[in-house]
Amino acid sequence: MSKKSKVIDLNLIKDPLFLKELNYKELENLASNIRKEIISSVSKNGGHLSSNLGTVESIIALHKVFNFSKDKILFDVGHQSYTHKILTGRNLTNLRKKDGISGFPKISESIYDCFEGGHSSNSLSTALGMAIKRDLNHENYDIICYIGDSSFANGLIFEALNDEIIRNHKIIIILNDNDMSISKSVGNISKTLQKISTSRFYNKLKESYKKSFNKNKLGKFLYRKTYNFKNFIKNIFFRKNIFTIFDLNYIGPIDGHNFKTLIKNFERAKNTTKSVVVHIKTIKGLGFEKAQNDSEGYYHGVAPFKINKDINYENKNSYSFLYSYYVKNLLKKDKNVIVVSPATLIGSDLLQLKKEFPNQVYDVGIAEEHSLSLSAGMALSGLKPYVFIYSTFLQRGFDQVIHDIARLNLNVKILVDRSGFVGQDGSTHLGIFDEAFLLEVPNTVVCMASSKEQCELLVDFSYNFSGFLVIRFPKTNFHSVKLAYNSIKVGQYEYVKKCNSNKVLITFGPILYTILKFTKDYNIDIIESIFQNPISDELVNDLMHYKIIYIYNVYGVENGFNNLLISKLSKLNYKGSIKSYAIKNRFITHRTIEECLETENLNPEFIINEIKKDD
């Protein structure tokens, strides 16, 4: 009679040690239950779905082979760590909620998280730093980087691969490949050699052989000759791939959903004495048919959804949709207008544009720096590039903004999506820092619309403006209003409410209309500063006449627009009172946009109460 399989209650898991006792059938049952839990939790809370469903078996197998209370695992990007969280005793019930667990690895959550990833390609460099410390202290533990294939589009990975450190300090790289092709080893002989090169006996023998010959000059000479001969023979049977070129051991590709294969090859990787890449092939979205059949990536990151219904992909009320729609008109009328996206076609509603204008819309993958220097080259050649990029990812291209674009005052337009609070992705995805660093850069014009109509005018303005322009917009729905003007000029500001008060509130962006609603019956002037840079002298002169100035900015930190305006007022010896309200210059953990506003004392109710105190 066969042994009855254990049934694991996911809610009772405290740590991964229980995996050591499970057989293959029990591991398969566990994987199935974890998939169900991921689907259920993400459908309620939102989060990263497809990427987590595709990695369940490989992460379970890693926890079975390694001990991550001592060994270290670094998830590149981090959005594929849900299985890891479950196995280390963290419930997904309040995933991405305030005071719940983060959707990314979080050092403060668990001893099993040694690294916090939210952007791609930085895990390997960080891991090498850890490996240096380990080896200097003669410690014995493994360091594993779990990297999705898309991350290899970013140059930072290659900087780490090219560093001699990776050849002197062992790292295990798990390459989760669900799309791209990497050259395979050839034939049965190569498979045999691969088994030998990653066996415990071979690696111990190799180390002993090296030590025995390193005692004198003759021995070192003989070692070099035999080492070169070994590589000559090896190269006859191995087709080089990108990893063998970097002189790393390579295992794979292997089935990323087969426990027996995964465990056997992870143990081989554990036995190697040099850095090794384990190339696993997985199916993104496995276990949820809609996600598995999704070739566009709609199920990669999702808002809460009903499991039995299709996701409503398109939000025609969002600013992302709006800017895509208006830029589409530019693509139609001018072949020199080019759209560039660093892997955010879906998030910025550009997928349809790519289909309609394949020669004018470019997705360059997770390569933010490249997207900006590429656009600089386009502008130098007479093209008119529009770069759609998330605020959090623009940080990675700060050097390119300064050196390649602004310094030459090139005709590049950057549309910064997700500006301000983004919400439940947490501190790695905040959109609050770009405004401050952009305002410090010469030749950089920065603006933000508050309505649908203003968006259209800003896009028209951008087309006719010949310098470097940044248009920021938040992750919210837009307002539609009737404007008293039909064009926009640099530095423009507008009195949206004027009642000859001695108090004025200056703000910008969609929050303007919420403020107008709250101050409808209140005696205060309201100014909209459409441009955050430059701030016109005329605006500053107007403000000099007020007794109290309130500066209200929910889209950037206080050392951005607020401090720039205060500095200009101070230079003119403004004698009144300035009350500054902006996001504090700090990192904010995952919570909704509304909760972020409340935490920072920036919700409109709070501001109005502050104004009333000054009566």
Side-chain angles (χ1 to χ4, degrees):
M1 184 178 292
S2 61
K3 183 181 177 181
K4 188 177 180 181
S5 296
K6 295 180 183 177
V7 178
I8 306 299
D9 186 340
L10 301 185
N11 294 316
L12 298 180
I13 294 175
K14 301 298 181 185
D15 58 54
L17 294 178
F18 73 96
L19 293 172
K20 308 293 183 184
E21 307 299 323
L22 300 188
N23 59 37
Y24 293 134
K25 181 63 177 177
E26 290 166 340
L27 291 174
E28 288 170 4
N29 290 338
L30 175 65
S32 177
N33 289 336
I34 287 177
R35 277 200 172 85
K36 291 175 184 175
E37 176 64 16
I38 289 171
I39 294 168
S40 174
S41 296
V42 174
S43 71
K44 294 171 185 173
N45 301 316
H48 290 88
L49 183 61
S50 296
S51 51
N52 281 289
L53 293 177
T55 60
V56 175
E57 287 85 1
S58 59
I59 293 174
I60 292 174
L62 282 170
H63 274 283
K64 186 171 175 67
V65 172
F66 298 92
N67 176 6
F68 291 115
S69 64
K70 183 180 77 167
D71 299 319
K72 297 182 185 297
I73 184 167
L74 292 78
F75 288 97
D76 205 273
V77 182
H79 58 230
Q80 73 283 62
S81 61
Y82 293 0
T83 297
H84 168 73
K85 286 178 180 274
I86 291 171
L87 294 175
T88 52
R90 284 171 280 179
N91 193 291
L92 300 185
T93 302
N94 293 315
L95 176 69
R96 303 170 76 244
K97 300 295 185 185
K98 184 182 178 184
D99 301 323
I101 69 165
S102 170
F104 295 86
K106 201 77 176 168
I107 293 171
S108 61
E109 277 186 8
S110 172
I111 62 167
Y112 292 97
D113 290 2
C114 66
F115 170 74
E116 295 188 6
H119 295 175
S120 79
S121 313
N122 57 342
S123 64
L124 186 52
S125 297
T126 305
L128 290 176
M130 294 176 174
I132 289 173
K133 181 266 181 186
R134 175 197 63 194
D135 296 343
L136 283 174
N137 290 354
H138 304 290
E139 296 172 313
N140 182 27
Y141 57 84
D142 282 300
I143 301 173
I144 293 95
C145 288
Y146 194 101
I147 305 178
D149 42 24
S150 295
S151 295
F152 275 87
N154 192 290
L156 184 56
I157 280 286
F158 289 94
E159 292 180 32
L161 287 172
N162 193 50
D163 197 317
E164 192 63 27
I165 294 170
I166 199 170
R167 281 165 284 287
N168 297 328
H169 301 273
K170 181 190 171 186
I171 296 290
I172 298 172
I173 300 170
I174 309 300
L175 172 61
N176 174 33
D177 174 12
N178 50 43
D179 190 34
M180 71 175 185
S181 174
I182 296 177
S183 298
K184 298 180 181 180
S185 301
V186 180
N188 292 325
I189 294 177
S190 73
K191 292 178 181 178
T192 302
L193 289 176
Q194 192 181 95
K195 290 178 182 178
I196 294 171
S197 67
T198 56
S199 71
R200 185 186 299 273
F201 174 75
Y202 170 78
N203 280 280
K204 284 186 176 180
L205 182 63
K206 185 172 71 172
E207 284 300 300
S208 298
Y209 182 77
K210 183 177 180 180
K211 287 178 182 178
S212 66
F213 276 90
N214 268 348
K215 294 176 180 178
N216 53 56
K217 288 185 178 180
L218 177 62
K220 291 179 180 179
F221 172 79
L222 290 173
Y223 176 78
R224 284 199 304 272
K225 290 297 182 183
T226 55
Y227 178 80
N228 290 337
F229 179 72
K230 181 209 73 170
N231 284 342
F232 170 76
I233 297 298
K234 184 177 177 181
N235 288 336
I236 292 174
F237 299 105
F238 274 99
R239 181 183 296 168
K240 286 188 178 295
N241 61 37
I242 194 168
F243 304 111
T244 58
I245 289 170
F246 282 113
D247 195 28
L248 306 178
N249 277 342
Y250 173 79
I251 299 173
I254 64 173
D255 183 352
H257 302 294
N258 184 298
F259 278 114
K260 185 176 181 179
T261 301
L262 286 166
I263 291 168
K264 178 176 67 176
N265 285 287
F266 288 164
E267 287 173 343
R268 284 179 182 166
K270 188 178 179 69
N271 291 335
T272 61
T273 56
K274 61 185 282 189
S275 291
V276 58
V277 175
V278 184
H279 176 186
I280 64 174
K281 297 285 288 184
T282 62
I283 300 170
K284 196 168 185 177
L286 184 65
F288 189 54
E289 187 176 1
K290 294 173 184 177
Q292 192 171 326
N293 295 333
D294 171 28
S295 60
E296 305 288 3
Y298 289 111
Y299 281 87
H300 172 75
V302 297
F305 67 97
K306 293 184 178 179
I307 294 174
N308 296 324
K309 292 186 177 181
D310 290 334
I311 289 177
N312 182 16
Y313 307 129
E314 195 172 59
N315 178 8
K316 293 187 176 181
N317 295 316
S318 72
Y319 279 96
S320 298
F321 177 84
L322 205 56
Y323 278 107
S324 173
Y325 176 80
Y326 289 131
V327 170
K328 177 179 178 178
N329 295 332
L330 302 184
L331 292 169
K332 285 180 179 178
K333 76 176 184 178
D334 190 343
K335 297 294 183 184
N336 286 324
V337 172
I338 305 292
V339 168
V340 178
S341 165
T344 55
L345 285 181
I346 292 176
S348 291
D349 279 298
L350 301 173
L351 193 59
Q352 190 58 36
L353 290 192
K354 175 65 176 173
K355 292 176 180 178
E356 292 184 40
F357 304 92
N359 297 322
Q360 289 174 266
V361 179
Y362 293 86
D363 181 2
V364 300
I366 305 176
E368 295 87 358
E369 300 96 323
H370 167 58
S371 73
L372 295 166
S373 292
L374 174 71
S375 300
M378 291 177 176
L380 285 167
S381 302
L383 296 176
K384 302 170 184 176
Y386 282 71
V387 184
F388 282 76
I389 187 169
Y390 291 4
S391 169
T392 184
F393 301 143
L394 181 60
Q395 297 163 191
R396 309 191 76 178
F398 188 34
D399 177 60
Q400 286 69 36
V401 165
I402 294 176
H403 184 275
D404 296 349
I405 300 174
R407 186 174 59 86
L408 301 175
N409 198 20
L410 295 181
N411 185 21
V412 174
K413 311 302 185 298
I414 299 181
L415 286 85
V416 186
D417 200 346
R418 271 71 166 170
S419 293
F421 292 125
V422 176
Q424 291 165 299
D425 278 341
S427 61
T428 57
H429 284 66
L430 293 169
I432 64 178
F433 300 114
D434 68 287
E435 179 198 271
F437 69 66
L438 288 168
L439 297 188
E440 296 292 328
V441 181
N443 297 330
T444 305
V445 176
V446 181
C447 56
M448 179 179 269
S450 60
S451 67
K452 174 184 177 182
E453 291 71 19
Q454 238 180 42
C455 287
E456 184 174 14
L457 293 182
L458 277 180
V459 172
D460 289 342
F461 164 78
S462 73
Y463 180 73
N464 296 303
F465 181 72
S466 60
F468 178 37
L469 174 69
V470 177
I471 302 175
R472 305 177 72 236
F473 56 96
K475 190 182 180 182
T476 55
N477 291 344
F478 60 77
H479 299 269
S480 182
V481 297
K482 187 175 181 179
L483 300 176
Y485 47 91
N486 55 19
S487 65
I488 285 179
K489 62 183 180 181
V490 175
Q492 184 167 329
Y493 68 98
E494 296 290 329
Y495 277 92
V496 291
K497 180 185 178 194
K498 193 162 187 178
C499 48
N500 297 317
S501 174
N502 63 358
K503 294 186 289 188
V504 63
L505 184 146
I506 182 167
T507 190
F508 56 88
I511 198 72
L512 169 71
Y513 294 99
T514 306
I515 286 293
L516 281 173
K517 182 177 73 173
F518 276 91
T519 61
K520 183 179 179 182
D521 301 317
Y522 198 69
N523 185 34
I524 186 171
D525 293 350
I526 308 289
I527 293 177
E528 177 187 15
S529 182
I530 302 169
F531 286 80
Q532 290 77 66
N533 194 49
I535 298 173
S536 72
D537 292 339
E538 186 181 356
L539 169 58
V540 180
N541 288 331
D542 274 7
L543 293 174
M544 295 293 290
H545 302 105
Y546 287 95
K547 181 180 177 182
I548 305 177
I549 300 171
Y550 304 90
I551 310 171
Y552 180 45
N553 176 9
V554 300
Y555 305 109
V557 292
E558 53 198 350
N559 57 330
F561 173 75
N562 290 49
N563 283 2
L564 180 61
L565 180 55
I566 290 169
S567 174
K568 289 182 175 292
L569 289 165
S570 297
K571 286 178 181 178
L572 293 178
N573 295 314
Y574 173 72
K575 302 300 182 184
S577 175
I578 301 174
K579 304 291 182 74
S580 177
Y581 301 94
I583 302 167
K584 296 177 184 66
N585 194 26
R586 63 175 183 170
F587 297 105
I588 301 165
T589 55
H590 54 281
R591 59 198 65 196
T592 65
I593 293 174
E594 292 73 21
E595 287 169 339
C596 286
L597 288 170
E598 187 174 346
T599 299
E600 294 297 294
N601 287 328
L602 287 175
N603 49 320
E605 296 92 335
F606 177 83
I607 301 303
I608 299 306
N609 287 333
E610 289 293 293
I611 293 171
K612 288 179 179 179
K613 290 178 184 178
D614 294 323
D615 282 349

